[in-house]
Amino acid sequence: MKLRHLQLLLSAVLLCVLKAGAQQPAPPRDDTQLWTETQFIVPLKERTDLIFIGSLRFGRNVHHVTDERAGVAIAHRLNSHLSVQSTYQYIAQQPFEGQKRFEHRLSTDLTLRFRLGGFTLTDRNRIEYQIRHSRANRWIYRNQLRLEHPVGPNEWKFKVFISDEVFYSSDADAWTRNRISVGAGREFSKRFGAEFFYFRQQDGFSRPGNLQVFGTSFKIRLRD
C-alpha cells in the first residue's frame, strides 16, 4: 500500500471516530426516579441501635436500577433532644448506559430534635466522606431541617412532614444541591414503620442533577 493511500485510510478512520464521538448525546440534567430503602434495627442496649441498611433507586425515568446501596450504622440517643449516628455504605451506580461508579461512604450525623407546640422540628447535620473509585475523593456537608406534625387520633400514629436539605461539596467548593421534600408516615406497630415521600432536587453540578423522586422508607425493629 502506498504511503498516500495509508494516510487517506487513517484520515477516514479518524474522521469516523470523531464523528461517532460527536454524536454521543450529553448526559441528561433531569430525571424522574423511584427510591426505596429498608432499615433493620437491632437494639444493642438502652438508647443504642445497630442498623442494617439496604436501598434501590430506579432512574432513567424509572426504567433501570441506577443505584444500589448496602450499609451498617450505629445510632445512639444521648437524650430526648440529641442523637448521633455513624454509618458505612457501599454504593454501586449505573447512572447512564455503559457507565458504572463504585463508592465507599463514611458519614456521621448529629441530630437535634425539639417540640414546638404540636410540631416536631429536626435539624440533622451530616458530614460525609466519599471514597470514589476512578474519581477524586471528596467530603460533603449536608444540613436538613424537617418539620412534622401528627394527623388524626393518637392511636393512628400518623404524621405528615416537610423538609429542606442543602449540600456543600468540597470538590466544587460551593453549595451544590437543594432538596425540598413532602411526605407522610405511620407506625403500624412497635416493630414496623413506613414513610412515603416526594421531593424535588436542584443540582447544577451533577448529571442528572435535577430530579423528581417518589420514595418509600421502611423501618423494621427486629426485637423490643
Side-chain angles (χ1 to χ4, degrees), residues 125-177:
N125 297 270
R126 174 176 294 177
I127 296 292
E128 192 172 85
Y129 187 65
Q130 301 176 358
I131 303 170
R132 308 190 295 175
H133 296 198
S134 304
R135 294 179 296 160
N137 299 339
R138 66 179 181 179
W139 63 265
I140 304 287
Y141 169 67
R142 300 167 56 170
N143 178 255
Q144 182 194 72
L145 289 174
R146 169 169 158 153
L147 191 65
E148 63 183 54
H149 191 279
V151 175
N154 291 335
E155 58 267 24
W156 286 9
K157 296 183 178 180
F158 187 82
K159 64 186 177 184
V160 294
F161 63 85
I162 184 170
S163 71
D164 185 41
E165 185 173 19
V166 292
F167 293 63
Y168 179 88
S169 179
S170 65
D171 56 346
D173 192 20
W175 296 94
T176 59
R177 179 176 295 176

Side-chain angles (χ1 to χ4, degrees), residues 35 37 53 55 57 67-73 86-93 101-109 126-133 135 137-140 142 165 167 177 179:
W35 294 8
E37 178 180 280
I53 305 167
S55 69
R57 299 180 179 182
D67 192 299
E68 304 161 82
R69 303 184 179 209
V72 62
S86 296
T87 305
Y88 164 78
Q89 283 188 305
Y90 178 75
I91 301 171
Q93 299 175 319
R101 301 172 182 172
F102 302 96
E103 182 179 315
H104 301 276
R105 186 171 294 183
L106 304 170
S107 63
T108 297
D109 296 0
R126 174 176 294 177
I127 296 292
E128 192 172 85
Y129 187 65
Q130 301 176 358
I131 303 170
R132 308 190 295 175
H133 296 198
R135 294 179 296 160
N137 299 339
R138 66 179 181 179
W139 63 265
I140 304 287
R142 300 167 56 170
E165 185 173 19
F167 293 63
R177 179 176 295 176
R179 284 180 185 167

Side-chain angles (χ1 to χ4, degrees), residues 178-214:
N178 184 70
R179 284 180 185 167
I180 298 178
S181 309
V182 294
R186 185 186 176 195
E187 292 183 22
F188 293 89
S189 69
K190 291 183 178 180
R191 294 192 177 183
F192 177 67
E195 289 186 350
F196 306 90
F197 59 87
Y198 168 81
F199 73 74
R200 290 283 300 181
Q201 173 179 295
Q202 298 295 320
D203 182 336
F205 292 80
S206 301
R207 285 182 178 265
N210 301 326
L211 307 179
Q212 63 170 348
V213 175
F214 301 86

Side-chain angles (χ1 to χ4, degrees), residues 79-91:
N79 54 49
S80 59
H81 299 294
L82 182 62
S83 64
V84 62
Q85 177 174 312
S86 296
T87 305
Y88 164 78
Q89 283 188 305
Y90 178 75
I91 301 171

Side-chain angles (χ1 to χ4, degrees), residues 9-21:
L9 178 61
L10 291 176
S11 298
V13 170
L14 180 60
L15 182 62
C16 290
V17 170
L18 292 175
K19 184 177 180 180

